[in-house]
Every structure is written in C-alpha cells, then in structure tokens.
Amino acid sequence: MRVPTSFHPCLSASLIAIVCLAAAGCSQEPQVDTNTPEYLFSEVHKAVADGRFEKALESSGALQTKFPKSEQAAKARLLSIVLLLGQSDGYRSIADAYLAGMEADPDQYGTLRSTAFNYHRKRKSVALVLYQACDRFLKRHTPESTYALESSWPVDDSEQGPDQLEEVRGGNLLDSEQQEEVEVVELPKGVARTLARFVGAEEDLAQARTTLGQGAVDLVPSGVLLTMAQCILDNQKLFGREGLSEVKNYSIFLHQADKTLNMALASLEEHPDEAIQAGADELKAEIDKLYGR
C-alpha cells in the first residue's frame, strides 16, 4: 500500500497548532492560585522586605477581608499593627531630628520647626489608622487567643548609607529629594525596631532579625497586649503636643491604652509572668496619673 507523502492543508495547520500548544503547556510553570490566604500573606512578606509598607498593609487588609478566620489573617492583624507602629516610630525619629536642629541653628528655627511638625502630622495620620487596627484586633481577643509574629526583615543592613539625619540635627536643611531618601531609610528602621520590641529583642536588632528569619515567633498574649498598650500611649502623647493639641484624640487614645492594659492584666491573672507584670504595673501607674486617679 502506498503511504501518502502530504496532508490536507487544514489538517496540517491543526496538527501544528496542537503541537505548539502542547509544547507551550510543557514549558510553562504551574500557575499559582492567587486567591488563597497563603498567597496573600506571601505578598505581605514581599512588600515588607521591599520597604513598601502601604502595599503590605493593602495586602494584609485584603487577606483579612477575604479569609478572616484563617491562620494567616490572624498573623496579618498583628503584623499590620506592628507595621503601623513602626512607621509611627520612623516619623518620630525624623521629627525629633528636626526639633534638635532647631536648637543647633536658631536662624533656621522656623523652617526646621515647620518640617518637624509636618512629620508629626504624618505620624498623626498613621496613628489614626493604628487606632482602627487595634480596635479590630482587640475585638477578636479572647482569653484563649494565641499570637504569632511572622514577618520579613525590612532593613538591608549591608547597604546603609550616611546618616542624613545627623546633618539635620546639626541644623542643616534637606531638600525635598533628600527628605524622601531619609524616609526610605528611617521608616524601615522604625519597623525593624518595632518588630524587635515585640519579639523581646529591642536592644539587639541582629538577634531579632535572626529570630524572625527562622519563621513565626510565638508570643505571650499578655506581652503582646502590654506592648500594644505602651505603644498606643506613646502615640497618645502626640495629640497633646503644643501646636498639635487635639483633646478628643488625646482622650480616645488614652482610653484605648487603658482598655488594652486591662486586657493584659486579665491575661496575667490566668498566666502570671513576673517581667510582664512589672511592666504592666508601671504602665498602670502612668495611665492612672494621666487620668488623675
């Protein structure tokens, strides 16, 4: 029997298309399901590592909305608070440098003071978002709650440039581009300090980085609540500053700090811890003084 040496043109084109599709399918990597809590939390991790904290908070919010009962959402709720506290800490560092510069060069007093309060206002905006994040977190807290902190490290210690804030402290002004560069450096540093504070390594950032590099860190609930209360009270004081006095927010943040502390004290009754108790007693005395009790 004679074997045909050619194909019908349409048949030939169809076979070629099938072969091409099959080859493309083999060469492509497996598609990632982006609609999972694991994927969304990985996006939070990537954004933190890149210092893109707004993106991290956006991904964290999407995760909490889509998968509110997932393990990743619980971690995201805590991490969101840490990121906001870290940004607040970073803005405070910049503002404090400008306030110090006012003393160093009285001739630049007005401009340095104005810039300092611009950063205090940025910190205020973060604090208001923080209040809402803490409120959501506390509403989900129960005596049985457990907490784990999991995060990428936001600072590349190998590429730290000159400290431009040192120039500011000396009374020198920075241009707009230099100010942006300062924020790119100082906000990740603030987040790193806050991460270290929550994992109990506030005085040793290198140890904190190593600890978080090993995966999720289980935290003592009363310790989490106490640290939150301390940080909320720290932000509360912002609203009492001369030139930024806001009686309503000053009162609201004080109440939130007190509420959080009382939850920490209740947790300590169930699970005593001498070190945490000492910190809680100290904070209670400070809050009582502010209330005039």
Side-chain angles (χ1 to χ4, degrees), residues 134-145:
C134 288
D135 197 50
R136 289 193 296 269
F137 181 93
L138 295 173
K139 284 178 179 176
R140 287 182 172 271
H141 175 76
T142 69
E144 293 75 34
S145 294

Side-chain angles (χ1 to χ4, degrees), residues 15 21 35-36 38 74 76 91 102 115 124 127 129 137 141 155 168 202 220 227-228 235 240 262 289:
L15 287 172
L21 287 172
N35 193 36
T36 65
E38 291 81 9
Y91 284 133
M102 289 163 41
T115 307
K124 182 188 80 169
V129 179
F137 181 93
H141 175 76
V155 179
V168 175
E202 190 172 6
V220 178
T227 303
M228 280 180 58
N235 277 273
N262 286 330
K289 184 177 181 180

Side-chain angles (χ1 to χ4, degrees), residues 8-24:
H8 188 281
C10 292
L11 179 61
S12 177
S14 299
L15 287 172
I16 291 171
I18 291 171
V19 170
C20 289
L21 287 172

Side-chain angles (χ1 to χ4, degrees), residues 227-238:
T227 303
M228 280 180 58
Q230 291 169 331
C231 292
I232 292 169
L233 189 64
D234 185 47
N235 277 273
Q236 177 260 357
K237 293 172 184 175
L238 172 69

Side-chain angles (χ1 to χ4, degrees), residues 144-198:
E144 293 75 34
S145 294
T146 59
Y147 299 112
L149 181 58
E150 183 176 345
S151 176
S152 298
W153 192 251
V155 179
D156 185 351
D157 300 319
S158 65
E159 297 184 5
Q160 292 299 309
D163 184 3
Q164 288 182 303
L165 284 188
E166 195 57 42
E167 294 183 31
V168 175
R169 295 183 192 99
N172 296 318
L173 294 171
L174 302 180
D175 60 32
S176 57
E177 184 177 338
Q178 290 173 319
Q179 285 184 27
E180 288 180 7
E181 291 172 356
V182 164
E183 290 185 29
V184 168
V185 172
E186 293 302 321
L187 294 187
K189 283 183 178 179
V191 172
R193 287 191 292 267
T194 306
L195 284 166
R197 183 173 184 176
F198 271 83

Side-chain angles (χ1 to χ4, degrees), residues 53-97:
F53 302 122
E54 295 305 318
K55 174 61 177 175
L57 290 166
E58 180 185 325
S59 296
S60 175
L63 168 55
Q64 294 173 57
T65 299
K66 289 185 176 182
F67 307 99
K69 296 182 179 180
S70 66
E71 176 186 345
Q72 289 77 17
K75 291 178 181 177
R77 272 188 289 276
L78 176 58
L79 182 54
S80 293
I81 290 171
V82 171
L83 295 178
L84 290 164
L85 286 170
Q87 289 182 84
S88 174
D89 186 64
Y91 284 133
R92 177 178 58 183
S93 293
I94 300 173
D96 286 349

